[in-house]
Amino acid sequence: MITILPLAGVPEVRAGDDLATLVHEAVAQSRATRIEPGDVVVVTSKVVSKALGLLGSNDVERADLVLQESQRVVAERTTSTGFTRVVEAKAGPVMAGAGIDSSNADDDVRLLLPHEPDAEAASLHGRLADVAGHADFAVVLSDTSGRAWRSGLTDFALGTHGLTPLEDLRGLADTHGHDLAVTVRNIADEVAAAADLVKGKLDRVPVAVVRGLDRRFLHPDADGSRTLVRSGPTDWFALGRAEAVRDALGVPAGSAMSVEVGIESVHPETVTDRVRRAWSAAVLPDPAGEDAALDGADEEWSVTCADPYVLGRIAARFEVALAGERLVAELTPNPGSVRVGIAQPRH
Amino acid sequence: MITILPLAGVPEVRAGDDLATLVHEAVAQSRATRIEPGDVVVVTSKVVSKALGLLGSNDVERADLVLQESQRVVAERTTSTGFTRVVEAKAGPVMAGAGIDSSNADDDVRLLLPHEPDAEAASLHGRLADVAGHADFAVVLSDTSGRAWRSGLTDFALGTHGLTPLEDLRGLADTHGHDLAVTVRNIADEVAAAADLVKGKLDRVPVAVVRGLDRRFLHPDADGSRTLVRSGPTDWFALGRAEAVRDALGVPAGSAMSVEVGIESVHPETVTDRVRRAWSAAVLPDPAGEDAALDGADEEWSVTCADPYVLGRIAARFEVALAGERLVAELTPNPGSVRVGIAQPRH
């Protein structure tokens, strides 16, 4: 049996606060009464960032702040207030807006994530161990993010100390000989999600204690949650659908070129908007693009270029870019020009 | 405070078993003792599929069975034993292998997911209510899946009845005026993840009771979990990185054309393997491709074609396809041919 205890007694955290003492006092005042052997203390990363005073400058545009806190951009859209970007954050995970948080904070305060969340979890664990009188517990820094192909946000483990993030059952698979070969459980994210059920933004419960977790998941030398971040060649979703096509045309997400080409809006757009953006993606990154011209409107367009090699090249790039915009093109080549008919958008 | 109670007393489930009675008896034998008002009964979809007898034919290749259980293919790789595909399953969610499960089952038994998991959750809820004597509880069918950009698998809500899947805080955002505008919590997935902490494949604990969840999350007429599936225009990750580029060239994931072109392997491949596959993606979907030829090896290749328009077209498609293979190409056009130099792979 597992119990999840909310700690409601944590006061508003300010830069320089001793978070370990605040958490320890909140534990003492709660039904948890003390940190017991085997407990997992799940702390919302927001209060860690507040205690560390990790504030983004107000002199920087929010979109630029997101890029500053990012290793790379995975996907991007234009919104009413600027750009929304899903990025691989310097804090580790892939998430929207690099995890920069302006909620539940004073006006114009932008809380940044720690860049080394496992180290912060270890530091908090050490200081909590001092006041708790023992070190037989784990610490999870939780944060909130969307999950691809799912609506809504769930909590996940941004940083951990003392908790085995992955339960690797692969060594145990042979007795069945089946799919357990791929069964590696992400325990840390499940603990963070469980803790969120008693936390929540509006209740101001930034800490929860998860008690009764199987002892095999606790280990003082366990890897941190950085190991949970899947990036590089094993990541099949390194770029969004639109971004993958644009990248292949030479328009990397998060670049000045991408802004110049134009970034798809979350709001409805006309076919002409999409066609013109596809044209920009086809010609702007390509020096030969200067020699080609687009004319037309709605579903009827024409590409002209005197050089047949360049015409073929640009028409092909345009067709690919249109597909990236979920538009189906039918190309009819003629000497010096290509007629481009656009069929209705695909989804 | 939330408690999560494992139900270890569920016997091996067989086709035709009355799952509600089995669950009810297991609750009675456990520390939960009875289904209390406000409880959430989380049942592993596997036992639901077993009770329903949802078995895939052994006369069908596993890869074909996955396609049969899919609405569309999102990403695909070649593995040692065939293809691994991430699909939008007929059961609703996007997941690997359409959620077909061969683990913890008899040899050669392939358990399929119910296509209407919310309806199965509702049905189980109704039958459990009969034996429990009240209907003031929720049912979650949980399943296991990877999460993009994260290692390891976590449980999520495949189907629900009586549980509010999303906690929409957007109406409450105005008092802060900040990021709560996008704060919609996926409660159902967090409940499923929490329950998994006491379940697990090896322990044969297919059911857990989550007790003490905030009553605002329980509602008899709540939407099912189908509403949690994000698909269509708001899905920024409708195709994997490689698949997005191939799709834009006319090679849809999951198609016979994709198999003919060749599908990237999870194992290491040579640059020449990747170049030849990129060439196939460039020319096979395109009638004009018959007029062009590729020659070369390793990092030095040449595309030849007598028609300059077709040469430009195919060279551009080849360059895009190479980028989809994470290869950077440098093209040098000459009359009748294009020299293509390949730089080292990008990741």
Side-chain angles (χ1 to χ4, degrees), chain A residues 105-131:
Chain A
D106 296 336
D107 271 356
D108 302 325
V109 169
R110 295 137 151 200
L111 277 172
L112 311 181
L113 293 180
H115 290 184
E116 299 295 343
D118 289 326
E120 295 302 336
S123 167
L124 182 58
H125 182 273
R127 288 177 287 137
L128 267 177
D130 286 345
V131 285

Side-chain angles (χ1 to χ4, degrees), chain A residues 1-6 31 62 74-77 84-86 93-94 100-108 144-158 166 169 172 176 178-180 182-187 189-194 196-198 200-204 210 213-214 216-217 225 227-230 232-233 235-245 247-249 266 308-309 311-313 315-317 319-320 323-324 326 331 333 338 346-347, chain B residues 1-6 31 62 74-77 84-86 93-94 100-108 144-158 166 169 172 176 178-180 182-187 189-194 196-198 200-204 210 213-214 216-217 225 227-230 232-233 235-245 247-249 264 266 308-309 311-313 315-317 319-320 323-324 326 331 333 338 346-347:
Chain A
M1 187 180 83
I2 287 174
T3 57
I4 312 171
L5 300 144
R31 291 173 69 166
R62 190 185 155 90
V74 172
E76 55 192 353
R77 288 289 187 284
T84 294
R85 290 191 169 107
V86 174
V94 172
I100 298 170
D101 189 343
S102 317
S103 65
N104 280 4
D106 296 336
D107 271 356
D108 302 325
T144 305
S145 175
R147 178 172 180 156
W149 315 305
R150 305 289 282 171
S151 294
L153 310 177
T154 56
D155 269 20
F156 70 96
L158 180 72
L166 291 172
L169 296 174
L172 303 169
H176 300 89
H178 289 306
D179 272 358
L180 283 180
V182 290
T183 299
V184 179
R185 288 272 163 169
N186 184 329
I187 299 299
D189 281 355
E190 291 192 335
V191 167
D196 187 53
L197 292 171
V198 300
K201 281 178 185 286
L202 292 172
D203 298 331
R204 296 191 178 275
V210 176
L213 192 67
D214 194 309
R216 72 178 187 269
F217 299 143
S225 286
T227 59
L228 295 174
V229 176
R230 184 188 292 246
D235 175 13
W236 300 8
F237 303 96
L239 289 170
R241 174 188 176 153
E243 290 73 18
V245 176
D247 187 79
L249 291 167
V266 295
Y309 171 82
L311 180 64
R313 173 171 180 77
R317 288 174 58 84
E319 186 182 17
V320 167
R326 304 191 303 280
L331 271 60
V338 175
R346 297 185 292 181
H347 290 300
Chain B
M1 186 179 81
I2 288 174
T3 58
I4 312 170
L5 299 144
R31 290 174 70 166
R62 190 185 155 87
V74 173
E76 54 191 354
R77 289 290 186 283
T84 294
R85 290 192 169 105
V86 174
V94 172
I100 297 170
D101 188 342
S102 317
S103 65
N104 279 4
D106 296 336
D107 271 354
D108 302 325
T144 305
S145 175
R147 177 171 180 158
W149 315 305
R150 304 291 281 171
S151 294
L153 310 177
T154 56
D155 269 20
F156 69 96
L158 180 72
L166 291 172
L169 296 174
L172 304 169
H176 300 88
H178 288 306
D179 273 358
L180 283 180
V182 291
T183 299
V184 180
R185 290 271 162 170
N186 184 328
I187 300 298
D189 282 355
E190 292 192 334
V191 167
D196 186 53
L197 292 171
V198 301
K201 282 179 185 284
L202 293 172
D203 298 330
R204 295 189 179 279
V210 175
L213 193 67
D214 194 309
R216 72 177 185 267
F217 299 141
S225 286
T227 59
L228 295 174
V229 177
R230 184 189 293 247
D235 176 13
W236 300 8
F237 303 96
L239 289 170
R241 175 189 173 151
E243 291 73 17
V245 177
D247 187 79
L249 290 165
E264 182 176 338
V266 294
Y309 172 81
L311 180 64
R313 171 170 181 79
R317 288 174 58 85
E319 187 182 17
V320 166
R326 304 191 304 279
L331 272 60
V338 175
R346 297 184 293 180
H347 289 300

Side-chain angles (χ1 to χ4, degrees), chain A residues 75-79 83-85 243 246 253-255 257-266 269 277 325:
Chain A
E76 55 192 353
R77 288 289 187 284
T78 303
T79 61
F83 300 119
T84 294
R85 290 191 169 107
E243 290 73 18
R246 290 160 62 102
S255 67
M257 171 70 82
S258 183
V259 174
E260 187 182 354
V261 165
I263 296 171
E264 182 176 337
S265 173
V266 295
E269 298 178 303
R277 192 167 50 225
E325 298 280 350

